[in-house]
Amino acid sequence: MKPITLNIDFTEMKKNSKHQVMKFTFKGEDTEGKGELLYRMSGSIVVMALEGCGIGNFNGDFFEHKKTHQGFVSQFRIRGDVNDAAAGKIYSMSGRTVQLSLQPAQMSIDEFYEGDHNIEDGEDDEDQMTIDEAGEVEEQAGEQVPKEQQETPQESAEGHEQPQEEAKPEEAPSTGKGRSRRLTKKEKEEQAKAEAEAAAQAEAEAKEEQPVSDDDLPF
């Protein structure tokens, strides 16, 4: 497709967090059929140039072209590879009639928006959150709440905590990794037996250590 050069009104330029959006309006009689040429080039990445701007060529997404009562309205989106200084020079030319040159770029739309996730139907929503970002925010919020303070599904459904058990099963000492385990029935029996033997031994030792009274002596 041939390059297009035309005098056109640089209507406005808007900026958000990731992109600059440029709006042009082609007014008057389209005796040369340039409105049709613009329509054929729309929907693709183009190489743009503004005479007198002083920054040379730059890439843009020609994402919209339509005919209104004011004339042919064309909108382009440029990315962060156009630095702030260059964007400032482009912005300084808005609000006047400029000479705009367009030609097809050797770049796909996917390549142009590589790394972006919030482009849809020609709109940039800088406040919109992606699914991955929402998942990260939710995960970070969950990490900030201590585990013992997090509600269980039953607590959330009933609106109050579950009643605690009156007696908890006896637990073996923790190994330092994970939660402590419960004693088995056999281990409980062995522990009770060991405690009984220790108590009997302690009682026998106490009796042996008791002093002998005078009544117990044979003389």
Side-chain angles (χ1 to χ4, degrees):
M1 185 178 297
K2 296 180 180 180
I4 303 173
T5 301
L6 67 163
N7 293 325
I8 193 169
D9 289 348
F10 189 175
T11 312
E12 64 179 1
M13 181 173 178
K14 298 185 296 185
K15 179 182 179 181
N16 63 23
S17 60
K18 292 184 178 181
H19 308 94
Q20 308 268 1
V21 177
M22 307 165 62
K23 182 178 179 181
F24 296 85
T25 304
F26 182 65
K27 301 179 180 180
E29 294 294 329
D30 185 17
T31 57
E32 299 179 6
K34 291 188 176 181
E36 178 64 23
L37 294 175
L38 288 170
Y39 177 77
R40 292 180 182 178
M41 193 175 288
S42 63
S44 63
I45 306 303
V46 296
V47 178
M48 309 178 64
L50 289 171
E51 185 179 357
C53 186
I55 66 170
N57 297 337
F58 55 94
N59 292 328
D61 175 15
F62 190 173
F63 69 89
E64 183 178 86
H65 178 72
K66 60 184 178 181
K67 186 175 182 179
T68 68
H69 65 281
Q70 295 178 341
F72 293 99
V73 177
S74 303
Q75 294 199 69
F76 303 82
R77 188 183 292 113
I78 59 177
R79 295 193 66 220
D81 50 355
V82 177
N83 59 39
D84 291 343
K89 291 182 179 180
I90 297 173
Y91 179 78
S92 66
M93 302 192 69
S94 61
R96 68 179 77 172
T97 300
V98 298
Q99 187 176 84
L100 173 67
S101 297
L102 302 173
Q103 59 182 318
Q106 301 299 319
M107 178 184 293
S108 68
I109 293 178
D110 290 339
E111 290 172 336
F112 183 83
Y113 287 116
E114 185 177 0
D116 290 351
H117 306 284
N118 62 336
I119 305 301
E120 184 177 358
D121 296 333
E123 294 294 336
D124 295 324
D125 187 358
E126 58 183 323
D127 296 325
Q128 182 177 354
M129 184 178 293
T130 66
I131 295 176
D132 290 341
E133 291 171 347
E136 291 175 1
V137 171
E138 183 177 354
E139 182 179 352
Q140 292 173 2
E143 291 175 353
Q144 295 175 359
V145 180
K147 186 176 182 180
E148 59 272 12
Q149 295 182 9
Q150 295 181 7
E151 291 184 342
T152 63
Q154 183 171 349
E155 289 173 356
S156 178
E158 297 178 358
H160 59 80
E161 296 182 356
Q162 300 181 15
Q164 298 181 352
E165 297 180 0
E166 295 182 357
K168 293 184 178 180
E170 196 169 355
E171 296 181 349
S174 174
T175 62
K177 182 179 180 180
R179 294 177 296 178
S180 59
R181 64 178 181 85
R182 297 181 179 179
L183 294 173
T184 64
K185 182 177 180 182
K186 183 177 180 180
E187 288 174 336
K188 289 182 179 180
E189 292 176 353
E190 291 178 353
Q191 183 178 357
K193 182 178 179 181
E195 291 176 353
E197 290 177 354
Q201 184 177 355
E203 184 178 356
E205 291 176 355
K207 288 182 179 181
E208 291 177 0
E209 293 176 358
Q210 289 181 359
V212 180
S213 65
D214 295 339
D215 296 336
D216 294 333
L217 295 174
F219 54 87

